[in-house]
Amino acid sequence: MVTPVAKREAVGHLVTTYEMTERRACKAIGCYRMTARYQTSRSDDAGLRQRMREIAHERRRFGYRRLHVLLKREGYLVNHKKLFRLYREEKLTVRRRGGRKRALGTRAPMTVPVLPNERWLLDFVSDQMTDGRRFRILTVVDDCTRECLALVADTSLSGARIARELDRLVAERGKPKMVVSDNGSEFTSNAILTWADQSRVAWHYIAPGKPMPNAFIESFNGRLRDELLNETLFTSLAQACVALRCWRADYNDARPHSQLGWQTPSEFAATGNPRRDLALRYIESSAPAPATAQMGTSNRPNELRPG
């Protein structure tokens, strides 16, 4: 659709370039002479635009309605609909925030731990009792030995409570080099940030919405839910704490772990062998013997698989 402004410009071009009369130019492009002669009476509102931009940059979270009130206080008489049009033309629309502010922590790629206490993993699991009351469980796992260090259950677990539990674990086991968690409000609280700074422990926050960097704690939580939480009806918080204590002892001392050569986490931690040596021995023992095709040899993996 051709706008009136474009038609006026076209008429002016024909009159100036081809020395046509206004009547013939309007007839050639199908434009009314009244449209060609129209002169806008609208002001450019340069002062209003400038002041609106200044207020919008000073108060970046104010929309056009609050700007309208502030401009009226300064003596600018403008209709709110006109102000909204100028507001859109100046592209001053308030942008929607992407999400809440999160603690940054470290974003460097994590190495594979080879010794105990190199990296602790933290996460939460939630469940409910038979009367409908919900409670949460703080899970703490050593990423090298796969030991479950703590299962803390309560109806509310604040950052200060987590800091106290970490102090207890440090007193029993020693200080870790790194702690890994998600960006939950408990882990990004001032209490946790203060604890990490005072304890001189590196705290690594995984990227939001991407649990793979903290994959083992997610797998551990799945085992905890499948083997205990989904199999037990809890009538009280005290019963849940006792059941979690028994399950943790069974997990560390009796349950064989496939990634530890079917040793229990306690047995593996007692040997003191780095995980790197265990992984190399496991790969060497599980590597298949080289196979040879009947019609000749081939190095292609698909041809070496048994039929």
Side-chain angles (χ1 to χ4, degrees):
M1 180 180 179
V2 182
T3 62
V5 177
K7 291 182 178 180
R8 288 196 296 270
E9 292 178 353
V11 171
H13 176 73
L14 293 176
V15 172
T16 304
T17 305
Y18 298 98
E19 299 180 355
M20 298 175 63
T21 63
E22 183 184 85
R23 185 188 300 274
R24 291 188 60 188
C26 290
K27 186 177 181 180
I29 64 173
C31 174
Y32 294 102
R33 297 177 67 189
M34 184 183 300
T35 302
R37 294 179 179 182
Y38 174 79
Q39 297 294 331
T40 180
S41 60
R42 178 183 296 175
S43 59
D44 57 356
D45 300 314
L48 177 61
R49 290 174 182 266
Q50 177 64 25
R51 184 55 186 156
M52 182 174 59
R53 286 195 299 266
E54 292 175 357
I55 299 177
H57 289 307
E58 181 182 354
R59 301 178 179 273
R60 295 182 299 172
R61 304 307 299 176
F62 277 16
Y64 82 97
R65 295 185 183 276
R66 284 189 172 84
L67 295 182
H68 186 216
V69 174
L70 296 178
L71 289 171
K72 284 178 63 178
R73 290 178 183 176
E74 297 182 5
Y76 289 95
L77 300 179
V78 55
N79 185 278
H80 72 279
K81 293 181 288 186
K82 177 181 178 180
L83 183 68
F84 180 66
R85 176 176 58 82
L86 300 178
Y87 181 80
R88 295 289 297 271
E89 291 177 0
E90 295 296 329
K91 299 181 180 180
L92 299 176
T93 306
V94 178
R95 294 183 178 180
R96 186 173 298 176
R97 295 190 185 276
R100 64 181 176 87
K101 187 184 297 184
R102 303 176 187 273
L104 295 179
T106 58
R107 290 293 190 211
M110 296 185 298
T111 58
V112 177
V114 295
L115 292 174
N117 283 355
E118 280 197 12
R119 185 161 66 228
W120 290 0
L121 311 178
L122 274 67
D123 202 1
F124 282 107
V125 181
S126 62
D127 202 1
Q128 67 178 7
M129 290 174 272
T130 55
D131 57 1
R133 290 182 300 162
R134 301 194 64 84
F135 64 94
R136 306 182 74 192
I137 304 171
L138 171 66
T139 58
V140 185
V141 179
D142 190 305
D143 198 12
C144 175
T145 63
R146 307 305 200 200
E147 291 177 283
C148 177
L149 307 182
L151 291 175
V152 183
D154 208 335
T155 55
S156 177
L157 291 170
S158 62
R161 174 70 182 280
I162 297 174
R164 292 197 300 269
E165 294 295 335
L166 291 176
D167 286 333
R168 180 183 60 82
L169 289 177
V170 169
E172 294 178 358
R173 186 181 177 86
K175 186 171 63 176
K177 293 183 179 180
M178 177 185 290
V179 176
V180 181
S181 71
D182 56 21
N183 290 268
S185 58
E186 298 84 0
F187 297 134
T188 57
S189 62
N190 290 330
I192 292 298
L193 297 179
T194 302
W195 181 88
D197 182 65
Q198 294 177 352
S199 302
R200 299 185 181 276
V201 174
W203 200 290
H204 183 98
Y205 294 100
I206 64 175
K210 298 181 179 179
M212 287 307 298
N214 209 11
F216 177 70
I217 194 70
E218 299 292 342
S219 176
F220 174 83
N221 291 342
R223 298 192 194 101
L224 173 62
R225 184 172 298 280
D226 182 59
E227 298 177 9
L228 177 65
L229 301 183
N230 290 347
E231 298 292 325
T232 309
L233 293 176
F234 301 109
T235 58
S236 65
L237 185 61
Q239 178 200 359
C241 292
V242 172
L244 289 170
R245 194 179 306 116
C246 296
W247 188 87
R248 174 174 169 265
D250 180 77
Y251 177 86
N252 289 334
D253 301 330
R255 185 182 186 278
H257 202 292
S258 60
Q259 295 299 318
L260 302 179
W262 300 109
Q263 300 180 81
T264 64
S266 298
E267 291 174 348
F268 179 75
T271 60
N273 292 330
R275 173 174 295 278
R276 184 185 305 166
D277 295 344
L278 176 66
L280 291 177
R281 292 199 306 270
Y282 180 78
I283 293 174
E284 292 175 357
S285 61
S286 60
T292 305
Q294 294 182 357
M295 299 303 295
T297 59
S298 174
N299 292 326
R300 297 174 60 183
N302 290 338
E303 297 183 4
L304 298 181
R305 295 176 181 174

